[in-house]
Amino acid sequence: MNEGMAALDRRLGQVTMYRLVTLTLASLVVISMLYSGLGTLGEGLFTLAGQLVSLGVLVVTSVAASWGFARAWRVQPHLESSVVTALILYFLFLPQTDPGRLRWLVLAALLASASKFVLAWRGRHVFNPAAAGAFGVYVVQAVIDVEPVDRVTASWWVASADLLPWVAIGALLVLHRTRRLELGAVFVAVALPLVVLGLHHVGQGWGDAARTAIQTSPFVFFAGFMLSEPLTLPPRRHQQLAVAVVAGIVYAYPLAILVMIQAPPLFGIADQWQVAALLIGNVLACAFARRSGLRLELVDHHRHGADTHELVFRSSRSHRFEAGQYAELHLPHARADTRGTRRTFTISSTPGPDRTMSFSVRVPEPASSFKRALVDLPVGARIQSTGVGGDFVLPRDRSIPVLLVAGGIGVTPFLSQLGHGGDRDAIVVYAVPSGDDVPFLAELSDQRVVLVSPTRPPAMPEAWTWTEAPVLSVDLLAEVVPDLANRIAYVSGPPAMVNALRGALSRRAKRVRTDHFSGY
């Protein structure tokens, strides 16, 4: 099981989150066209030609609009994000071939692209772009009083029994890659019973109500590809789960609540309530969010060991983060590979009143184009951070004993946490491939560290001890940390290491928190 999860993490880690979403949605597009070509999808509502035309119109409009808005705002466009938005809109609106109806798809893509720039705050989206575009089209048609028969609004045709298994697989991959499986599960757990309850109330049996809800309501697509959109989520896990609960309740609002109390649809938008539910969740997320975009200027760059670099940036304004959190960096560069132009890195510096923020990055050979571009930045170069987030933070109560288990560059969150002042009962178990190259030895010299490596280092600080081992194991941790059962364990490192330790360690330690990364 652990080996399978590690293999999945390695495979998913070869592409960025944006690329994974693009590839997954593109695969769903192909599958939908195959079903349509076989005559099992659409039931006469659209044709394969309509799918092809609509897809082309949405992609071209979305990419062109994003490029134009980026030029107007004097920022670098993120065109892959534009493609993702177009692919999501493809699954919301029924495919069209009539030019008069296609204009509404053009408007949806334009409004979605505009929302990324106009409805934004310090680099973060206020609303999910696809939902903003879909709802904007509905509002425009209502304002200019388009005849109901001529309206083109979000129909969520992706919710079909044929596509459901494929959508579920894609959503699970995306949610697993982004560590948001719990977010999707909470949303479905809240919304699904309410919708089933509403259907039962209007006369369906429990079994039929459940089948109708699962096969004709876009729960899975909504959770996997829209609710999980990173730039509209708050930074902390409990905040994200609160958004999922609220979105789930609002999603089911017209059917589960209005039908039962015989109330009229709120604002007359019951037919677009699924889109509105996401926008309402976005408002809550925006209220929670401390994460916002930062302009960063490189002020220092030095090495720790053979292939580990530390880059120190100064922000254009004050910022807040908690020790152990990460930031997403946006670095457009020539000939970007499949890892893309956005990556998340743990902040290795400690929170403080100054505006500096450091990232420690391992750059192996061969390295991704992003990492090569990052470490080649000259002092004075400016990049963008799209926001700060993460829940890999130590207990606020410093009397709680902790065990910090690091594999290689996974030590970076602990650098921030241990340097954040105050006494804490912490033991660091630090595994490296070779004792001859131990990054951050000086930075951790005053800490209680158990170094695990196949070879003994030539010199160590007095507070350190060395254990000879090729890899970490739970038995080894229990041996070098006798009071393991009384400690909360924090594990950070490659997926193979984290997956190998997590299960068994949860039975030995008081509690386990993990922070693993893919493709580094």
Side-chain angles (χ1 to χ4, degrees), residues 77-290:
H78 191 222
L79 298 181
E80 189 162 14
S81 173
S82 306
V83 173
V84 169
T85 299
L87 293 175
I88 292 175
L89 289 172
Y90 166 83
F91 285 109
L92 301 191
F93 288 89
L94 281 174
Q96 309 290 335
T97 54
D98 178 75
R101 299 178 73 82
L102 281 169
R103 62 177 176 165
W104 297 115
L105 302 191
V106 172
L107 180 61
L110 285 171
L111 293 176
S113 298
S115 74
K116 300 178 185 182
F117 299 88
V118 178
L119 302 177
W121 173 252
R122 289 180 172 177
R124 66 166 277 120
H125 301 156
V126 176
F127 297 112
N128 178 281
F135 194 73
V137 166
Y138 169 81
V139 171
V140 169
Q141 292 177 351
V143 168
I144 66 176
D145 199 22
V146 176
E147 291 294 329
V149 70
D150 295 323
R151 293 186 180 185
V152 177
T153 56
S155 66
W156 298 85
W157 64 271
V158 68
S160 75
D162 287 328
L163 293 182
L164 178 61
W166 304 105
V167 172
I169 292 171
L172 287 172
L173 289 175
V174 170
L175 291 172
H176 175 76
R177 173 68 170 84
T178 57
R179 310 301 170 200
R180 295 193 178 103
L181 280 169
E182 193 173 15
L183 174 83
V186 167
F187 168 77
V188 173
V190 171
L192 181 58
L194 291 176
V195 173
V196 171
L197 182 63
L199 291 171
H200 177 70
H201 182 79
V202 295
Q204 291 193 19
W206 288 111
D208 289 338
R211 280 190 294 273
T212 300
I214 292 171
Q215 294 180 358
T216 65
S217 187
F219 291 105
V220 179
F221 188 85
F222 185 102
F225 297 99
M226 299 186 73
L227 183 63
S228 63
E229 201 276 330
L231 290 184
T232 53
L233 282 176
R236 300 298 302 274
R237 171 180 167 275
H238 68 278
Q239 296 168 340
Q240 295 174 3
L241 297 184
V243 169
V245 170
V246 171
I249 293 172
V250 178
Y251 177 99
Y253 170 75
L255 187 58
I257 299 175
L258 293 182
V259 168
M260 287 185 283
I261 65 175
Q262 300 298 306
L266 187 63
F267 306 131
I269 58 172
D271 56 336
Q272 294 298 300
W273 197 256
Q274 291 155 333
V275 173
L278 185 55
L279 299 180
I280 292 171
N282 293 159
V283 171
L284 176 62
C286 194
F288 276 139
R290 289 185 292 114

Side-chain angles (χ1 to χ4, degrees), residues 347-377:
I347 304 169
S348 56
S349 55
T350 58
D354 63 3
R355 302 200 310 270
T356 60
M357 183 181 289
S358 301
F359 302 93
S360 298
V361 183
R362 180 173 175 265
V363 185
E365 290 296 338
S368 67
S369 65
F370 186 102
K371 284 190 175 180
R372 289 195 301 270
L374 184 64
V375 298
D376 287 343
L377 287 174

Side-chain angles (χ1 to χ4, degrees), residues 24-38 40-41 51 90-91 162-163 165-167:
T24 303
L25 288 171
S27 299
L28 291 176
V29 169
V30 173
I31 292 170
S32 73
M33 290 183 178
L34 289 174
Y35 277 117
S36 182
L38 293 172
T40 62
L41 185 67
Q51 289 175 284
Y90 166 83
F91 285 109
D162 287 328
L163 293 182
W166 304 105
V167 172

